[in-house]
Amino acid sequence: MASNTYAVGYAVSGRAKCKDSKCKQSIAKGALRIAKRFPNPFGEDGDMASAYYHPVCMFRTLSRARASTKKIESLRDLESIETIKDA
């Protein structure tokens, strides 16, 4: 199983782009986004890098992923879920 983790939050600046190969659009400031966190290949031991996705794009990406890729199966799989405001 991959060592990926997932976090959810709101875009801080609007500069990040969605990493889904079919999207690549900017994630607007204040928009909900999901971060795929993975070991940073250029950082020190334990450093994590993040790739940001629109929520719909994240689940589209995971539907195309390998069987061995860690998936989001419940809200407990998302770090920082408690910071999200109810709609």
Side-chain angles (χ1 to χ4, degrees):
M1 202 51 87
S3 60
N4 298 333
T5 60
Y6 299 97
V8 65
Y10 297 102
V12 177
S13 67
R15 292 183 313 215
K17 298 213 183 309
C18 180
K19 297 301 182 200
D20 180 32
S21 62
K22 298 190 184 297
C23 179
K24 302 289 187 189
Q25 299 297 311
S26 293
I27 300 174
K29 181 178 180 178
L32 188 66
R33 66 183 180 182
I34 298 177
K36 177 181 177 182
R37 298 183 36 79
F38 51 91
N40 185 346
F42 305 106
E44 301 293 323
D45 287 339
D47 283 353
M48 300 292 277
S50 298
Y52 296 105
Y53 297 80
H54 296 106
V56 170
C57 297
M58 171 56 81
F59 290 102
R60 180 174 50 222
T61 298
L62 290 175
S63 72
R64 298 187 311 255
R66 296 178 184 180
S68 62
T69 301
K70 181 181 177 196
K71 309 269 194 308
I72 300 170
E73 296 175 355
S74 74
L75 292 177
R76 289 179 295 226
D77 294 336
L78 295 169
E79 297 173 10
S80 306
I81 190 67
E82 66 279 353
T83 65
I84 303 305
K85 303 173 198 142
D86 290 336

